[in-house]
Amino acid sequence: MAWHKKILRVNLSKGTCESEPLNLKWAGKYIGQRGLGTKYLSEEIDPKVDPLSPENKLIIATGPLTGTAAATGGRWSVICKGPLTGAIAASNSGGYFGAELKFAGWDMIIIEGRSDKPVYLFVQDDKAQLLPADDLWGQDVWETEEALLARHQDPQIKVAAIGKAGEIGCMYACVVNDKHRAAGRSGVGAVMGSKNLKAIAVRGTQGVPVANPAEFMAATTEAKKVLAEDAVTGQGLPAMGTQVIMNVMNELGGLPAHNHRDVQFDGASKIGAEAMILPRPDGSTNLVKNQACFGCTIACGRISKISPEHFTVKNSGKEWGASGGLEYESAWAFGADTGVDDLDALTYVNFLCNMHGMDTISFGATVAAAMELFEIGAITTKETGGIELKFGSAEALVEMALLVGRGEGFGLDIGLGSKRLCEKYSKPEVAMVVKGQEFPAYDPRAMQGMALGYATSNRGACHLRGYTVSAEVFGVPVKMEPSATEGKAEITMAFQNATSVVDSAGICSFATFAWTLEDVQKQLNADLEGDWSLERLLETGERIWNLERQFNLSAGLTKADDTLPARLLKDAAKTGPAKGKVAELGKMLPEYYELRGWTPDGVPTNATLDRLAL
Amino acid sequence: MKVTVKLFALLEKYLPRDTIDQTVEVDVTDGASPHVVLAKFGVPPQECHLLLVNGCFVLPSERDNFVMRENDALAAWPPIAGG
């Protein structure tokens, strides 16, 4: 029935690995992965805990569809209290690691305490052990994975690891698996590093049981047909990837540029999907091929190669080969936000982020904030170590990635993230963040739904918690006027609840460009025991959102944290169709609270908590 | 009148060879609709999902009647998404 009914509890302080039963009652209320992991975290830690202390826990969670025959069923999440935000962190990744963990017979790993010395967790089916990682400490993610595969002489082992960024507490360090998929946001890699846990290596040879195999095969086969026949998931995403959005956002004036001072970028056409397939003088292209995560029939991932003549790799070695990226959010953060239009430089920086375990969005956005600090004189070459940190400088961008990856010089400041960096240099208004987390690649002045989505996202600025772009730009499920505020509270809430379901199920949110929640429901209902109706799923999504909200309120966050930087609320867009517009959060937030069943201060009422059985 | 046409992603194939930055300028009759402009490039209407004129959306139902003006910029994409 989708679950092995087993949790691996790893106590790093004691050096123990123990099996315990999965709480099926909770699984029935929170599905799995993001929802169930958050439930465990909420029950087991004080939300006020220091995120980088041994008292924080790191939960590696799969969903009920992870590792099954469901299309895109390779997702898994890292749940903890996030150091970047002080809020709930639930970072989702693809690749092959999550399915392998499920094949090993584990639904979830709960990691607690802190090891005295660097260790890695090796899981081989039922056997789990902590092994010394002194020799791996200081190695990058790619070196770590290769070393572990060689050490255990099994090329089928799947590895999730941190790089040096996680070891030294870079506030947006991520956990990277399969070399270039990442549980990226909120600093989950820093939590792993704070526990002296370098990596988790997994090898599994068991299957994943489902409740009703015949019904499940029929439902998943039908759902794959939906993905194949849909023009977006069947053609658009595999051919062009997420990077196709670059020119869309630029044309409609929603592409944040130069640390959100602009909403359009002159160099957009040089760094988007079309540029990735543009032949170089030698006939090669940046894009090598597309790639799928486990069980995915969309295959939106990009595999790219830097020109050997490019300045970034002329004197280098391992970055010559083809590897993962660029995806849209990363290309935007490294490119439009910093004003750099050198595609191969962005690709190189992407490889460095994957190697060293840095969240691409937060890294690029923090460099953009530092470039603004440099431009206004809040920092000089004295702080940067002689680097001319100017907007548009590919060399400066690359140097910053190298310094953060090595944990050296001004890289330590960049590793603080935008909020702490700008506070350090007495310019907090320069930080483009919500709840301490940097924005992704959609300017809310051009899409009002995203203004509300960013402000109310439980993990800080994030596009994936409520992707109203889907309705405001692509017309899925319905076309909405991006500049309007009417109806945005309702659609934002609907997206947030539905995404909570998808993120808890073990599948990819990109499938929902073609799948309705009914398509997801049919697969889950066959996968799990009990009656998983659409109504139950929708209520569960709302319950998960409120559970996260409760965690944040208990951690000390308030209504005051549901806001946007003054730049977006007061400084109008300078160009494009949204010229003259600001983010009109105040018009939407009260309605949103009311629809949520929260008080005017953003606190769930007792009636709401009772209704959701929280 | 002159208008600018930008065809992105898989619609790029309808642009003349050696087009730079997916952008061409074209002469059309005054008041031409987006569909008339796209027809000059042989773009089948059903392949065009997202259509912007000067960055503003033109719904499929309006693409035969919308009146384009001198120096307008039309941008079009096939079915796409991402994030």
Side-chain angles (χ1 to χ4, degrees):
Chain A
M1 56 143 303
W3 297 120
H4 293 289
K5 306 178 185 176
K6 266 174 40 188
I7 288 179
L8 176 61
R9 186 175 292 274
V10 177
N11 189 306
L12 293 166
S13 302
K14 297 178 187 167
T16 55
C17 300
E18 292 173 348
S19 173
E20 67 181 48
L22 179 74
N23 188 323
L24 289 170
K25 189 178 167 196
W26 289 353
K29 280 181 73 179
Y30 299 95
I31 306 177
Q33 204 175 337
R34 173 178 158 192
L36 188 56
T38 302
K39 175 62 177 172
Y40 269 93
L41 191 78
S42 299
E43 294 288 335
E44 295 197 8
I45 74 164
D46 176 355
K48 288 191 167 57
V49 73
D50 173 357
L52 297 179
S53 72
E55 286 71 39
N56 196 8
K57 296 192 183 186
L58 190 76
I59 297 179
I60 310 292
T62 66
L65 291 170
T66 309
T68 69
T72 79
R75 308 302 297 191
W76 63 285
S77 290
V78 182
I79 298 107
C80 60
K81 183 176 178 182
L84 188 68
T85 57
I88 186 76
S91 294
N92 186 308
S93 185
Y96 290 75
F97 175 85
E100 195 73 19
L101 179 62
K102 204 77 173 284
F103 296 160
W106 302 99
D107 302 316
M108 187 185 285
I109 306 174
I110 299 178
I111 298 160
E112 50 196 28
R114 172 186 286 161
S115 173
D116 289 338
K117 292 182 175 176
V119 291
Y120 69 97
L121 175 65
F122 183 45
V123 179
Q124 205 172 16
D125 286 325
D126 295 335
K127 188 179 171 190
Q129 53 188 327
L130 289 166
L131 297 170
D134 303 85
D135 58 327
L136 300 174
W137 206 252
Q139 302 284 308
D140 70 39
V141 169
W142 296 1
E143 291 164 342
T144 300
E145 177 168 328
E146 284 160 15
L148 288 173
L149 264 58
R151 182 173 305 175
H152 295 285
Q153 285 294 295
D154 187 347
Q156 297 295 328
I157 287 173
K158 303 295 182 288
V159 176
I162 57 167
K164 192 153 187 183
E167 294 175 12
I168 63 172
C170 167
M171 298 302 275
Y172 46 82
C174 57
V175 179
V176 180
N177 61 291
D178 304 291
K179 289 191 174 172
H180 53 83
R181 308 305 308 187
R185 305 228 67 192
S186 311
V188 296
V191 174
M192 189 159 155
S194 75
K195 297 185 174 305
N196 270 328
L197 181 64
K198 178 66 180 177
I200 304 170
V202 181
R203 180 72 175 104
T205 60
Q206 306 171 41
V208 179
V210 297
N212 186 336
E215 187 185 331
F216 187 70
M217 285 308 293
T220 54
T221 301
E222 184 58 33
K224 283 172 187 160
K225 201 172 158 199
V226 171
L227 292 181
E229 291 176 356
D230 183 90
V232 171
T233 50
Q235 297 163 35
L237 275 171
M240 306 301 284
T242 57
Q243 266 276 64
V244 75
I245 308 305
M246 188 72 72
N247 283 310
V248 176
M249 286 303 142
N250 199 46
E251 289 295 321
L252 58 80
L255 185 71
H258 310 109
N259 200 34
H260 284 259
R261 291 191 304 195
D262 299 304
V263 295
Q264 290 180 308
F265 177 47
D266 286 344
S269 66
K270 295 180 182 171
I271 61 171
E274 292 83 359
M276 290 177 76
I277 54 174
L278 191 68
R280 300 175 177 128
D282 67 359
S284 68
T285 56
N286 175 276
L287 180 71
V288 175
K289 61 171 185 169
N290 67 326
Q291 192 177 66
C293 297
F294 174 86
C296 180
T297 54
I298 302 173
C300 72
R302 305 290 92 183
I303 299 294
S304 307
K305 193 170 186 298
I306 301 165
S307 166
E309 297 303 313
H310 194 262
F311 80 90
T312 52
V313 295
K314 256 191 166 173
N315 300 311
S316 184
K318 61 186 169 187
E319 302 89 359
W320 278 359
S323 191
L326 288 160
E327 305 299 335
Y328 169 56
E329 307 297 335
S330 311
W332 161 79
F334 306 147
D337 209 26
T338 67
V340 175
D341 63 6
D342 179 337
L343 182 66
D344 273 352
L346 310 190
T347 307
Y348 178 71
V349 170
N350 195 64
F351 290 177
L352 291 180
C353 283
N354 290 339
M355 282 167 62
H356 299 301
M358 292 128 62
D359 174 38
T360 56
I361 296 174
S362 285
F363 166 75
T366 304
V367 172
M371 286 174 164
E372 183 170 339
L373 292 176
F374 189 84
E375 189 173 291
I376 63 178
I379 59 172
T380 67
T381 50
K382 188 180 159 199
E383 284 80 20
T384 66
I387 298 162
E388 293 284 337
L389 196 50
K390 291 181 176 173
F391 281 112
S393 171
E395 291 79 6
L397 172 71
V398 165
E399 195 59 34
M400 288 301 114
L402 289 167
L403 287 175
V404 178
R406 293 187 200 125
E408 294 173 356
F410 193 63
L412 291 170
D413 273 2
I414 296 290
L416 294 171
S418 305
K419 177 174 180 283
R420 291 169 178 84
L421 173 80
C422 294
E423 283 172 352
K424 179 174 178 178
Y425 293 104
S426 305
K427 295 287 178 189
E429 69 277 12
V430 172
M432 294 297 111
V433 296
V434 173
K435 299 179 176 73
Q437 180 157 284
E438 291 76 10
F439 284 92
Y442 309 87
D443 198 294
R445 289 168 289 198
M447 288 154 276
Q448 296 296 333
M450 290 307 288
L452 183 61
Y454 286 142
T456 58
S457 160
N458 285 328
R459 67 167 179 176
C462 172
H463 56 299
L464 293 169
R465 284 294 178 268
Y467 192 66
T468 61
V469 177
S470 186
E472 295 180 294
V473 177
F474 304 123
V476 179
V478 291
K479 182 73 183 75
M480 297 186 84
E481 169 56 42
S483 64
T485 55
E486 295 78 17
K488 296 297 169 66
E490 190 177 359
I491 194 82
T492 297
M493 189 175 79
F495 269 106
Q496 289 172 340
N497 291 350
T499 306
S500 298
V501 171
V502 172
D503 287 349
S504 301
I507 50 174
C508 179
S509 58
F510 283 12
T512 60
F513 287 125
W515 287 350
T516 63
L517 209 54
E518 283 91 337
D519 293 313
V520 177
Q521 180 266 332
K522 286 176 194 164
Q523 297 177 85
L524 272 176
N525 196 46
D527 184 31
L528 290 162
E529 285 172 1
D531 176 25
W532 282 86
S533 65
L534 193 59
E535 293 71 26
R536 181 177 174 185
L537 278 184
L538 287 167
E539 185 184 76
T540 303
E542 188 180 2
R543 180 182 299 123
I544 292 166
W545 191 266
N546 278 272
L547 177 71
E548 293 175 334
R549 180 75 177 182
Q550 289 289 81
F551 181 95
N552 285 351
L553 293 171
S554 299
L557 276 70
T558 67
K559 176 186 178 181
D561 296 294
D562 294 343
T563 191
L564 301 172
R567 177 167 296 173
L568 304 179
L569 294 169
K570 294 176 181 170
D571 297 353
K574 296 174 193 162
T575 62
K579 185 178 178 179
K581 292 194 169 69
V582 296
E584 298 183 279
L585 181 63
K587 287 188 180 175
M588 300 176 283
L589 194 58
E591 184 190 358
Y592 172 86
Y593 284 171
E594 194 177 339
L595 287 172
R596 277 264 173 231
W598 297 353
T599 69
D601 285 329
V603 178
T605 63
N606 287 335
T608 299
L609 295 177
D610 288 345
R611 179 172 58 80
L612 296 170
L614 277 165
Chain B
M1 66 178 187
K2 280 191 178 355
V3 296
T4 301
V5 176
K6 306 176 185 183
L7 300 178
F8 292 106
L10 299 179
L11 296 185
E12 217 177 348
K13 66 187 176 194
Y14 294 107
L15 288 167
R17 283 174 69 89
D18 302 325
T19 298
I20 296 169
D21 287 348
Q22 299 83 38
T23 304
V24 292
E25 204 172 65
V26 65
D27 271 314
V28 295
T29 53
D30 287 0
S33 72
H35 274 167
V36 167
V37 174
L38 288 173
K40 282 188 82 85
F41 296 87
V43 180
Q46 66 274 16
E47 286 190 26
C48 176
H49 174 67
L50 178 62
L51 193 149
L52 310 176
V53 173
N54 302 327
C56 297
F57 296 90
V58 181
L59 294 170
S61 58
E62 298 167 350
R63 291 174 191 171
D64 277 323
N65 305 316
F66 185 94
V67 177
M68 291 189 64
R69 302 184 188 286
E70 178 92 25
N71 298 323
D72 273 356
L74 182 156
W77 287 264
I80 51 158

Coordinates of all heavy atoms in Angstrom, one line a residue, chain B residues 2 4 8-9 12-14 21 27 33 36 43 45 47 54 58-59 65 72 74 77 79-81:
Chain B
K2 N 4.6 49.0 -40.7 CA 5.6 48.1 -40.2 C 5.2 47.6 -38.8 O 4.8 48.4 -37.9 CB 6.9 48.8 -40.2 CG 7.6 48.9 -41.5 CD 9.1 49.4 -41.3 CE 9.9 49.5 -42.5 NZ 9.4 49.1 -43.8
T4 N 6.7 44.6 -35.7 CA 7.8 43.7 -35.4 C 7.2 42.3 -35.0 O 6.2 42.3 -34.3 CB 8.6 44.2 -34.2 OG1 9.1 45.5 -34.6 CG2 9.7 43.3 -33.8
F8 N 9.0 32.6 -30.9 CA 9.9 31.9 -30.0 C 9.6 30.4 -29.9 O 8.6 29.9 -30.4 CB 9.6 32.5 -28.6 CG 10.1 33.9 -28.4 CD1 9.2 34.9 -28.3 CD2 11.5 34.2 -28.4 CE1 9.6 36.3 -28.2 CE2 11.9 35.5 -28.2 CZ 11.0 36.6 -28.1
A9 N 10.6 29.7 -29.3 CA 10.5 28.3 -29.0 C 10.3 27.6 -30.4 O 11.0 27.8 -31.3 CB 9.5 28.0 -28.0
E12 N 10.0 29.2 -33.9 CA 11.2 29.8 -34.5 C 11.4 29.3 -35.9 O 11.9 30.0 -36.8 CB 12.4 29.5 -33.6 CG 13.4 30.6 -33.6 CD 14.6 30.3 -32.6 OE1 14.6 29.3 -31.9 OE2 15.6 31.0 -32.7
K13 N 11.0 28.1 -36.2 CA 11.2 27.5 -37.5 C 10.5 28.2 -38.6 O 10.8 28.1 -39.8 CB 10.8 26.0 -37.5 CG 9.3 25.8 -37.3 CD 8.9 24.3 -37.1 CE 7.4 24.2 -36.8 NZ 7.1 22.9 -36.3
Y14 N 9.5 29.0 -38.2 CA 8.7 29.8 -39.3 C 9.4 31.1 -39.6 O 8.9 31.8 -40.5 CB 7.3 30.1 -38.8 CG 6.5 28.8 -38.6 CD1 6.2 28.3 -37.4 CD2 6.0 28.1 -39.8 CE1 5.4 27.1 -37.2 CE2 5.3 26.9 -39.6 CZ 5.0 26.4 -38.3 OH 4.3 25.3 -38.2
D21 N 17.9 37.0 -32.9 CA 17.1 37.2 -31.7 C 15.6 37.0 -31.9 O 14.7 37.6 -31.4 CB 17.3 38.6 -31.1 CG 18.6 38.8 -30.4 OD1 19.3 37.7 -30.2 OD2 19.0 39.9 -30.2
D27 N 6.2 44.3 -43.3 CA 5.2 45.2 -43.7 C 3.9 44.4 -43.8 O 3.8 43.4 -44.4 CB 5.6 45.7 -45.1 CG 6.4 47.0 -45.1 OD1 6.0 47.9 -44.3 OD2 7.4 47.0 -45.8
S33 N -4.8 42.0 -38.4 CA -5.0 41.3 -37.2 C -3.7 40.4 -36.9 O -3.0 40.1 -37.8 CB -6.2 40.4 -37.2 OG -6.0 39.3 -38.1
V36 N -3.5 37.5 -39.3 CA -3.1 37.9 -40.6 C -1.5 38.1 -40.6 O -0.9 37.6 -41.6 CB -3.8 39.3 -41.1 CG1 -3.1 39.9 -42.3 CG2 -5.2 39.0 -41.3
V43 N 2.5 30.5 -40.0 CA 2.3 29.9 -38.7 C 0.8 29.5 -38.5 O -0.1 30.4 -38.6 CB 2.6 30.9 -37.5 CG1 2.3 30.3 -36.2 CG2 4.0 31.5 -37.6
P45 N -2.6 28.9 -36.9 CA -3.2 29.5 -35.7 C -3.2 28.5 -34.5 O -2.9 28.9 -33.4 CB -4.6 29.9 -36.1 CG -4.5 30.1 -37.5 CD -3.5 29.1 -38.1
E47 N -1.1 26.4 -33.7 CA 0.2 26.2 -33.1 C 0.6 27.3 -32.2 O 1.6 27.3 -31.4 CB 1.3 26.0 -34.2 CG 1.2 24.7 -34.8 CD 2.4 24.4 -35.7 OE1 3.5 25.0 -35.5 OE2 2.3 23.7 -36.7
N54 N 2.8 44.1 -27.9 CA 3.4 45.0 -27.0 C 3.4 44.5 -25.5 O 3.2 45.3 -24.6 CB 2.7 46.4 -27.1 CG 2.8 46.9 -28.5 OD1 3.7 46.7 -29.2 ND2 1.7 47.7 -28.8
V58 N -3.3 38.8 -26.0 CA -4.4 38.8 -27.0 C -5.0 37.4 -26.9 O -4.3 36.4 -27.3 CB -4.0 39.2 -28.4 CG1 -5.2 39.2 -29.3 CG2 -3.3 40.5 -28.4
L59 N -6.2 37.3 -26.5 CA -6.8 35.9 -26.3 C -7.1 35.3 -27.7 O -7.3 36.1 -28.7 CB -8.2 36.1 -25.6 CG -8.0 36.5 -24.1 CD1 -9.4 36.8 -23.5 CD2 -7.3 35.4 -23.3
N65 N -9.7 39.7 -34.8 CA -10.3 41.0 -34.9 C -9.4 42.1 -34.3 O -9.6 43.3 -34.5 CB -11.6 41.0 -34.1 CG -12.5 39.9 -34.6 OD1 -12.7 39.8 -35.8 ND2 -13.1 39.2 -33.7
D72 N 3.8 48.2 -33.7 CA 3.4 47.2 -32.7 C 4.4 46.1 -32.7 O 5.0 45.7 -33.8 CB 2.0 46.7 -32.9 CG 1.0 47.6 -32.3 OD1 1.3 48.6 -31.6 OD2 -0.2 47.3 -32.4
L74 N 4.6 42.0 -32.0 CA 3.8 40.8 -31.8 C 4.8 39.7 -31.4 O 5.8 39.5 -32.1 CB 3.0 40.4 -33.0 CG 2.1 39.2 -33.0 CD1 1.0 39.3 -34.1 CD2 2.9 37.9 -33.2
W77 N 4.2 32.2 -28.9 CA 4.8 31.0 -28.5 C 3.9 29.8 -28.7 O 2.6 30.0 -28.7 CB 5.1 31.0 -27.0 CG 6.2 31.9 -26.5 CD1 7.5 31.5 -26.3 CD2 6.2 33.3 -26.3 NE1 8.3 32.6 -25.9 CE2 7.5 33.7 -25.9 CE3 5.2 34.3 -26.4 CZ2 7.8 35.1 -25.6 CZ3 5.5 35.6 -26.1 CH2 6.8 36.0 -25.7
P79 N 2.5 26.0 -27.2 CA 2.2 25.7 -25.8 C 3.5 25.5 -25.1 O 4.3 24.7 -25.4 CB 1.4 24.3 -26.0 CG 0.8 24.4 -27.3 CD 1.8 25.1 -28.2
I80 N 3.6 26.2 -24.0 CA 4.8 26.2 -23.2 C 4.4 26.4 -21.7 O 3.3 26.9 -21.4 CB 5.8 27.3 -23.5 CG1 5.2 28.7 -23.6 CG2 6.5 27.0 -24.8 CD1 6.1 29.8 -23.4
A81 N 5.3 26.0 -20.9 CA 5.2 26.3 -19.4 C 6.5 26.1 -18.8 O 7.5 25.6 -19.4 CB 4.1 25.5 -18.8

